[in-house]
Amino acid sequence: MSDMEFMEEAYKLAKKSFDQGGLPIGSVLVRDGKIIGSGHNQRVQKGDPIAHGEMDCIRNAGRQKTYKDTTIYTTLSPCMMCSGTIVQFGISRVVIGENRNFGGNEEFLESRGVQVDILDHPKCIELMERLKAEKPALWAEDIGE
């Protein structure tokens, strides 16, 4: 599968979260061309402030001997907590659906040796813009405003 195909899988998870009333952020973890973990933001659904999409994905991948040979796909640029987790576990590559609505940790990731690729995926951008327009209070809560 290509980066766009893996991002499409992450997008489906983001849409699932949005349809459940949550934040539209989805993520998949890939090794050797296969998805080994997937998840989506569940802060609203579970009332859990750290149930971000990337955290849910890594949790669902379960314990791994190493993460150094994995790529994580996320529909939105990861926050500092998720970026720190990516660095902590040695995930070598992050593919970001979009960073127009939220970004800023790409430089941190790169400074720690993580390869960062941004796809500017139109559906990821559109879904996050829809959340911001329809639920501005939820968006403000998520980004800590």
Side-chain angles (χ1 to χ4, degrees):
M1 291 176 69
S2 69
D3 283 347
M4 288 301 278
E5 289 170 313
F6 285 123
M7 188 56 66
E8 190 62 30
E9 293 301 312
Y11 171 79
K12 289 175 189 174
L13 293 160
K15 182 71 167 72
K16 176 181 177 180
S17 183
F18 182 83
D19 291 345
Q20 294 173 343
L23 292 144
I25 303 163
S27 183
V28 296
L29 186 66
V30 174
R31 173 183 288 126
D32 296 328
K34 294 183 178 100
I35 295 173
I36 62 168
S38 62
H40 61 82
N41 189 296
Q42 296 191 61
R43 289 183 61 248
V44 173
Q45 297 93 317
K46 292 186 175 181
D48 181 347
I50 61 170
H52 288 206
E54 300 89 342
M55 304 296 267
D56 189 48
C57 173
I58 293 167
R59 180 180 294 120
N60 290 333
R63 187 172 165 202
Q64 304 287 315
K65 282 187 172 185
T66 184
Y67 294 84
K68 293 184 187 326
D69 58 347
T70 62
T71 297
I72 193 163
Y73 292 78
T74 179
T75 56
L76 186 67
S77 183
C79 71
M80 184 52 77
M81 177 180 68
C82 294
S83 294
T85 301
I86 289 165
V87 169
Q88 175 72 28
F89 287 105
I91 296 171
S92 60
R93 182 173 179 237
V94 177
V95 180
I96 298 169
E98 70 109 342
N99 67 347
R100 295 180 189 190
N101 286 291
F102 178 82
N105 294 308
E106 298 86 2
E107 188 175 306
F108 167 78
L109 289 164
E110 290 171 335
S111 75
R112 300 304 193 277
V114 178
Q115 178 184 335
V116 175
D117 296 302
I118 301 165
L119 297 181
D120 285 326
H121 190 281
K123 291 195 295 188
C124 293
I125 296 167
E126 179 183 319
L127 187 58
M128 189 56 67
E129 287 175 348
R130 184 174 166 199
L131 172 85
K132 290 169 66 176
E134 293 178 12
K135 300 177 181 182
L138 181 57
W139 171 247
E141 173 192 329
D142 192 53
I143 60 172
E145 287 187 354

